[in-house]
Amino acid sequence: ELKVEQNPLFLSMQEGKNYTIYCNYSTTSDRLYWYRQDPGKSLESLFVLLSNGAVKQEGRLMASLDTKARLSTLHITAAVHDLSATYFCAVLEYGNKLVFGAGTILRVKS
Amino acid sequence: EAGVTQFPSHSVIEKGQTVTLRCDPISGHDNLYWYRRVMGKEIKFLLHFVKESKQDESGMPNNRFLAERTGGTYSTLKVQPAELEDSGVYFCASSLHPKKSGVSYNEQFFGPGTRLTVL
């Protein structure tokens, strides 16, 4: 059974600082997703990582995937308040089933 | 293009009552999924429809849960009778078939969820 572990679960950051969220998964998968959720809103797709060594960047967020280590990271550069949200990683299991991490609640303080 | 919509946004019911949640996927999406997040836990897969057929219902917790997708458009998830442990947020997602979307991965688009509270 595929398990996805995400850490930290809660992250309080100062504006302008950098930090990384980690996502480990237990069995082989070739698709990893990062989602963002604002309170009461849908999960918004941020990145889809398809292959070993994949790196994608959008604004202050950068995601990478190491399939050998079964590890993905979401790096936040120079955090701003607008990045406050809950971030989920999810790994595609057989078929079309997504297995999610517990989520990281990110709070960026001014 | 409208996104995935869910109704109601919130539902508060008493233990033993019945509740029906509705999901309208993005138009043209053959794949429809239900997930739920129980308080403090991960978002967990419940089931997957391809058009009107149940492709995978391995995540359905028990026979108190019944999902339907008549006509392959919107879907309903009925909980009868509801128990306290059913409280949580129920998400619906939809996706195109990879052959239709032209991409190799299967991006799922999520609705805002229905928050169910069973008292």
Side-chain angles (χ1 to χ4, degrees), chain A residues 31 33 35 37 40-43 45 48 50 88 92 94 96-98 100-103, chain B residues 4 31 33 35 37 41-43 45 48 56 58 91 104-108 110-112:
Chain A
R31 295 178 201 172
Y33 302 78
Y35 288 90
Q37 187 189 25
K41 301 290 181 66
S42 308
L43 276 74
S45 177
V48 181
L50 301 177
F88 294 94
L92 196 71
Y94 59 85
N96 292 322
K97 173 181 171 181
L98 286 175
F100 282 83
Chain B
V4 176
N31 294 294
Y33 314 83
Y35 293 84
R37 189 182 193 196
K41 301 280 183 79
E42 296 86 353
I43 299 170
F45 169 85
H48 168 210
D56 179 356
S58 62
F91 292 100
S104 62
Y105 59 89
N106 178 31
E107 184 174 8
Q108 297 181 23
F110 281 78

Side-chain angles (χ1 to χ4, degrees), chain B:
Chain B
E1 178 184 290
V4 176
T5 58
Q6 293 186 243
F7 182 84
S9 57
H10 293 83
S11 181
V12 181
I13 61 171
E14 293 190 351
K15 177 182 171 181
Q17 289 186 320
T18 297
V19 64
T20 300
L21 314 181
R22 174 172 168 142
C23 168
D24 286 80
I26 294 172
S27 178
H29 282 197
D30 291 339
N31 294 294
L32 187 148
Y33 314 83
W34 284 97
Y35 293 84
R36 78 171 177 178
R37 189 182 193 196
V38 172
M39 183 68 73
K41 301 280 183 79
E42 296 86 353
I43 299 170
K44 287 204 179 282
F45 169 85
L46 295 178
L47 87 159
H48 168 210
F49 283 99
V50 178
K51 296 186 180 178
E52 65 275 7
S53 299
K54 291 176 185 174
Q55 185 77 14
D56 179 356
E57 50 185 329
S58 62
M60 295 288 264
N62 51 61
N63 59 10
R64 295 185 293 103
F65 289 75
L66 175 63
E68 294 180 322
R69 192 183 181 194
T70 307
T73 53
Y74 71 91
S75 174
T76 57
L77 179 64
K78 181 191 285 189
V79 185
Q80 179 182 30
E83 298 289 344
L84 299 178
E85 63 264 25
D86 300 333
S87 295
V89 181
Y90 290 76
F91 292 100
C92 176
S94 70
S95 70
L96 276 170
H97 190 283
K99 288 184 180 178
K100 286 185 181 178
S101 67
V103 296
S104 62
Y105 59 89
N106 178 31
E107 184 174 8
Q108 297 181 23
F109 297 87
F110 281 78
T114 293
R115 181 173 295 277
L116 174 64
T117 302
V118 183
L119 302 175

